[in-house]
Amino acid sequence: MRPGPALLLAVVVAAATVIMVGAFALVAADRDGGSVVSGQADSLARAGTNALVLGLGGLTGLMLALIVAEAFSTSLRRRAGVFALLRATGASTSLLAGAILLQALVIGLLGSALGLLGSIVAPRLLTAELASALKPTWDSGEALLPQELAVGTALLATLVGTLPPALRAVTAPPGTTPAAPSKPQQPPPARGVIGAVLLVVGAVGSVVVWRVDVLPHRVGVLWAAAGVLLVGLLIALPQAVRALVAVLGLPARLGSSGRLALRQMTATPRSAATIAVAPLLATAAVCAGAPLAVSLRATVADEAVPGRAAAQLDVLPTLLICVSALAGLCAAGALAASAAERTGESALMRAVGQGRGQRAAQLLCEFTLACVAGLVLGAATGLLLAGAGGAVLADQGIGGFAIPWRQLLPLLAIGCGVGVLSALAPVLKPAPQVVSTTEPDGAPA
């Protein structure tokens, strides 16, 4: 991987590390179990807060693994000829895979180090009450545990994301090259069927948890349904994004750049899904976490729960903002990777008369449609899970379910703003020129 993309990937790892440090520190600060006088309300508020925070940490790790996988897939595809030559000259598969994983480890260590520095500075930007909620309450000798967990999770996500593209690159037969990314990508029908089945099962399970009050093991069923729903959505994401883009992109058909963008996204649904996956996960986290946090916060206020539980809930919006911003960075990184693979297409389009502004408009249209599709799917998923989670909390005496639109819209707007600003670099990058192989008089060069 070139130094520029490697450094950008390290910055993404650093941002994910900061989020996970905050999440693990928030849970670690609750290790003492809270005040003994606060009763059931305190226990429920703390348990609900910890579940939300750990869910945010897990989604952050998943987003990091996905963007790392896309970045290394792009880099390794561009170096397919180098790997073919090394394989032909006798380089072993283990040696090549080890070299790729070592590079990923270096990027992960650099990003984790930057993230640790950021986690030291970030609490100083918060109020004293919010900063105190991130401080562990046990022996200071264990105070580094949240940082250690965050670094370990970031490194694990980096290596897990690198492993599949590394294995594909080093196990390809010598002399072969991967298909061009502009070639139509038709997902296997079986994948769509499996994803759709899991999606329906997870959605039905969530609705059952929401509506059936006497369901046994209601919390366990909710976690299982949420997991199945997210897995099914990720598996069927290319088909879902293509279907949504066909509807959302109707206004884009009015312009030539919009029509080219729709044609490209229809032909390459996997690339569109790669851009949409981070906004989907972040929106699901925001739409599920914000309503539940509001319900817990109302219970804290009504029951006069001690200040630490209230401060921990007050930190959640900050974490949601960070997750939303990280999703924007990941989506922009996926767009940059897609644009880097399409240099031949860009040069050809420029040769036939497409201007720089038209090319930028096409890429920006692709980015916008994919992100909006991810936002729609994520919002539907998050609100469904929030409703089911609110019903479970209501059984435990927690306040009613309400959608805090005034909080949701700014959180989502921040992620969209970060994504658009980050996407400007690949969108505005000049297209390569087609190199002529003939002299001006038509004679061979």
Side-chain angles (χ1 to χ4, degrees):
M1 185 178 294
R2 297 176 179 176
L7 183 58
L8 291 177
L9 187 58
V11 172
V12 174
V13 175
T17 303
V18 171
I19 296 173
M20 289 187 287
V21 167
F24 294 144
L26 198 62
V27 175
D30 190 41
R31 188 173 175 178
D32 62 348
S35 172
V36 296
V37 300
S38 56
Q40 184 181 13
D42 182 30
S43 300
L44 290 175
R46 290 171 179 266
T49 303
N50 291 344
L52 289 176
V53 170
L54 290 176
L56 288 178
L59 286 177
T60 301
L62 179 58
M63 283 194 292
L64 178 58
L66 292 174
I67 190 60
V68 168
E70 177 62 20
F72 270 91
S73 294
T74 302
S75 176
L76 295 178
R77 277 195 292 263
R78 297 179 69 178
R79 293 186 291 167
V82 175
F83 285 105
L85 179 61
L86 291 174
R87 290 286 306 278
T89 56
S92 64
T93 299
S94 58
L95 178 63
L96 296 177
I100 297 172
L101 292 177
L102 179 60
Q103 186 180 26
L105 181 61
V106 171
I107 293 174
L109 289 174
L110 176 60
S112 299
L114 294 175
L116 288 179
L117 291 176
S119 67
I120 295 174
V121 176
R124 299 182 181 180
L125 304 177
L126 304 175
T127 63
E129 183 180 4
L130 295 181
S132 65
L134 297 174
K135 294 180 180 179
T137 56
W138 67 92
D139 185 8
S140 60
E142 301 181 13
L144 288 179
L145 182 59
Q147 286 84 348
E148 294 170 357
L149 287 175
V151 170
T153 304
L155 291 177
L156 179 62
T158 303
L159 293 176
V160 168
T162 307
L163 189 59
L167 292 179
R168 285 197 300 267
V170 301
T171 56
T176 61
T177 57
S182 58
K183 183 178 179 180
Q185 306 167 355
Q186 300 300 331
R191 174 176 175 173
V193 172
I194 293 174
V197 170
L198 293 177
L199 188 60
V200 171
V201 170
V204 171
S206 300
V207 172
V208 169
V209 172
W210 191 347
R211 295 300 183 184
V212 180
D213 297 334
V214 296
L215 184 69
H217 307 291
R218 202 174 182 187
V219 176
V221 173
L222 174 59
W223 281 106
V228 172
L229 177 61
L230 288 176
V231 171
L233 190 56
L234 292 176
I235 292 176
L237 189 57
Q239 292 87 346
V241 169
R242 182 167 55 184
L244 269 179
V245 164
V247 177
L248 297 172
L250 290 177
R253 295 182 180 276
L254 299 177
S256 59
S257 297
R259 290 193 294 270
L260 288 173
L262 289 173
R263 193 173 303 169
Q264 174 68 23
M265 298 181 74
T266 301
T268 58
R270 293 180 184 175
S271 298
T274 302
I275 298 174
V277 64
L280 183 153
L281 294 175
T283 305
V286 169
C287 291
L292 296 178
V294 169
S295 298
L296 292 171
R297 191 68 180 84
T299 301
V300 167
D302 294 340
E303 300 294 333
V305 179
R308 176 170 289 273
Q312 289 174 336
L313 286 169
D314 289 338
V315 175
L316 277 177
T318 303
L319 291 178
L320 291 174
I321 289 174
C322 295
V323 170
S324 183
L326 178 63
L329 287 175
C330 292
L335 175 66
S338 175
E341 286 187 310
R342 294 160 57 185
T343 54
E345 173 196 334
S346 300
L348 179 61
M349 294 300 294
R350 180 173 180 177
V352 298
Q354 186 182 50
R356 183 176 178 181
Q358 293 174 316
R359 184 62 176 174
Q362 178 187 343
L363 292 176
L364 190 59
C365 185
E366 293 177 18
F367 178 77
T368 302
L369 289 175
C371 288
V372 171
L375 289 173
V376 171
L377 294 172
T381 303
L383 292 176
L384 175 60
L385 295 179
V392 172
L393 291 178
D395 280 349
Q396 307 297 325
I398 300 297
F401 171 73
I403 301 176
W405 294 109
R406 292 184 179 180
Q407 293 185 15
L408 285 179
L409 296 180
L411 289 173
L412 298 177
I414 290 173
C416 293
V418 171
V420 171
L421 292 176
S422 303
L424 290 179
V427 165
L428 298 178
K429 183 179 180 181
Q433 296 183 356
V434 178
V435 179
S436 177
T437 59
T438 61
E439 295 292 344
D441 61 356

